[in-house]
Amino acid sequence: MEIKVLGPGCPNCQQMEELIKKAVKELGFDAKIEKVTDMLEIMKYTMSTPGLVVNGKLKHSGKPLPSLEKVKELLRQENV
Amino acid sequence: MLKELADYFTYNIIQLEPGSRLADAIDFFIYDTIKIFFLLSVIIFVISIIRSYFPPEKTRRILSHKKEFMGNILAALLGIVTPFCSCSAVPLFIGFVEAGIPLGVTFSFLISSPMVNEIAVVLLFGLFGWKVTAIYIGAGLFVAIFGGLVIGKLKLEKWVEEYVYTFHNGQEYEITKQSFKERLRYAKNNTIDILKRVWLYILIAIGIGGFIHGYVPEDFLTHYAGKGNVFAVPVAVLIGVPLYANAAGVIPIVYALMEKGLSMGTVLAFMMAVTALSLPEMIILRKVLKIPLLSVFVGIMTVTIIAVGYLFNAIL
């Protein structure tokens, strides 16, 4: 599973990254987490940060952040 | 009913002497705290539901076919309802440019969005009443429309960072469909999120406000910051600029100062400076705007806000 965390580095984006790492760990998925800070790269997916992209698909964008349970659910949807 | 509750607590439970300064300050503090937090929860919840219908992607789509003037008006209005935090200003700006939205229209959006924010609106409504709130929103929209129009007329596109123009996504962003239940959940989370962020500032500010209310003599500021002093408005704007994102912490204090002689136009100008002109936002916008354009933006905003201050001092 390929996960991208989109965000220029604001506190929300860092929180989002922590959240995703925790979700992946708790689910026990084998995932590669990449942090995307380049604005133009982020904008290929969304205009509202922070964003979560799984296997090339945008699963969440903007504030407020999703809950840990919600993140797990989003990850499970892409785990095929 | 809230008033009775605050009175009961002040005079019966902690048994302060009615009419004493301490009692006055505490009564004011309790009453305002309950009122403000009640309003914040209810109004932010409702605004969040409305906002869930206007994600930035949709706003971009609506504005992309609009000409100047009508576009400026629409952008200023959408700035109120589109959820957007200042850290998203850069992607939003690039996205708007890519969609062919004129520069002036983009600025109308960027000005109105922070200025007419939900926290400012709730606090104004709770403390000053609906008339002042309406005047503030009206004046805010005016500043956004006017500022955007002037920037559009000046043809400053050359002072946007070049890389912004190189971005071509070539496709519309997907707008995720939400059920009403999801919107309610979004609104609930957003309300909790905002309350968590501002409650301490508001408590401290209402505390200071209560102190001013009880201890500072009436007419204390009339001489320095009343209608008669021509420097009051510009000085208020200069003080307001560095006070970033703390509409929450500033408005209760300003409210208390108004009782002591600060005039309405000065108050409005000050609050606009606090919400719409902030250093961190300038630093963020510097990523897409070159220094001359950024300076023009700040200059136009400052002059317009000061003008609004004088205008309301003259007519109210």
Side-chain angles (χ1 to χ4, degrees), chain A residues 5-70:
Chain A
V5 188
L6 314 177
C10 57
N12 279 309
C13 313
Q14 282 155 17
Q15 219 181 322
M16 183 81 171
E17 196 190 356
E18 296 301 314
L19 206 61
I20 291 164
K21 277 184 182 157
K22 198 167 170 199
V24 168
K25 202 175 160 197
E26 286 183 19
L27 288 166
F29 286 173
D30 178 27
K32 201 180 101 209
I33 301 173
E34 185 194 343
K35 213 174 153 181
V36 182
T37 52
D38 180 66
M39 210 37 94
L40 298 182
E41 190 62 30
I42 291 172
M43 292 217 36
K44 284 182 185 164
Y45 301 98
T46 182
M47 287 199 295
S48 340
T49 54
L52 165 63
V53 172
V54 184
N55 295 339
K57 247 189 270 174
L58 182 69
K59 303 298 286 182
H60 172 90
S61 71
K63 278 203 325 175
L65 300 180
S67 64
L68 182 64
E69 280 313 307
K70 182 77 188 170

Side-chain angles (χ1 to χ4, degrees), chain B residues 88-110:
Chain B
S88 305
V90 168
L92 208 104
F93 186 90
I94 301 173
F96 276 26
V97 169
E98 194 219 357
I101 299 171
L103 193 61
V105 176
T106 304
F107 270 98
S108 285
F109 179 88
L110 287 178

Side-chain angles (χ1 to χ4, degrees), chain B residues 45-305:
Chain B
F45 186 77
V46 174
I47 294 178
S48 303
I49 295 178
I50 300 171
R51 289 195 160 178
S52 74
Y53 289 92
F54 294 92
E57 289 75 17
K58 194 180 205 168
T59 296
R60 185 177 99 134
R61 210 175 283 178
I62 297 172
L63 290 177
S64 64
H65 307 293
K66 295 292 178 294
K67 297 254 182 310
E68 284 191 335
F69 196 70
M70 278 313 286
N72 291 85
I73 295 174
L74 206 59
L77 289 169
L78 285 165
I80 300 177
V81 290
T82 302
F84 143 81
C85 81
S86 58
C87 60
S88 305
V90 168
L92 208 104
F93 186 90
I94 301 173
F96 276 26
V97 169
E98 194 219 357
I101 299 171
L103 193 61
V105 176
T106 304
F107 270 98
S108 285
F109 179 88
L110 287 178
I111 296 168
S112 97
S113 193
M115 185 140 61
V116 192
N117 74 63
E118 63 266 55
I119 300 166
V121 169
V122 170
L123 289 169
L124 283 175
F125 179 69
L127 295 169
F128 293 82
W130 68 268
K131 269 188 199 156
V132 173
T133 314
I135 290 174
Y136 179 78
I137 295 176
L141 286 174
F142 168 78
V143 171
I145 294 165
F146 179 78
L149 276 173
V150 173
I151 289 174
K153 283 278 172 281
L154 291 174
K155 301 263 174 276
L156 302 172
E157 281 76 1
K158 59 177 180 296
W159 284 333
V160 172
E161 291 289 348
E162 282 84 12
Y163 80 93
V164 172
Y165 296 116
T166 63
F167 179 74
H168 292 290
N169 204 20
Q171 56 168 35
E172 282 293 337
Y173 290 105
E174 204 182 310
I175 297 169
T176 33
K177 291 236 180 327
Q178 282 182 299
S179 66
F180 192 67
K181 212 174 145 194
E182 279 170 317
R183 291 181 202 280
L184 288 179
R185 197 184 311 139
Y186 164 82
K188 191 188 91 190
N189 289 343
N190 203 32
T191 309
I192 294 171
D193 202 50
I194 288 176
L195 282 176
K196 260 197 220 154
R197 223 155 13 97
V198 301
W199 71 271
L200 188 61
Y201 293 111
I202 293 183
L203 268 192
I204 294 172
I206 297 177
I208 298 174
F211 175 81
I212 295 172
H213 175 83
Y215 287 87
V216 176
E218 296 285 326
D219 294 342
F220 172 71
L221 284 169
T222 312
H223 179 66
Y224 304 102
K227 282 186 185 185
N229 189 340
V230 280
F231 296 112
V233 174
V235 169
V237 169
L238 284 182
I239 298 173
V241 176
L243 293 171
Y244 169 62
N246 274 323
V250 164
I251 293 173
I253 298 175
V254 169
Y255 171 66
L257 288 177
M258 220 175 90
E259 289 186 331
K260 311 295 173 189
L262 199 60
S263 59
M264 196 60 225
T266 310
V267 166
L268 282 175
F270 175 72
M271 283 182 316
M272 288 183 166
V274 170
T275 50
L277 280 173
S278 71
L279 275 177
E281 204 189 332
M282 298 304 134
I283 293 166
I284 289 169
L285 283 176
R286 174 66 191 88
K287 288 184 184 160
V288 282
L289 308 178
K290 292 184 185 169
I291 302 274
L293 179 46
L294 201 58
S295 317
V296 169
F297 169 60
V298 175
I300 290 174
M301 292 294 293
T302 310
V303 171
T304 320
I305 290 173

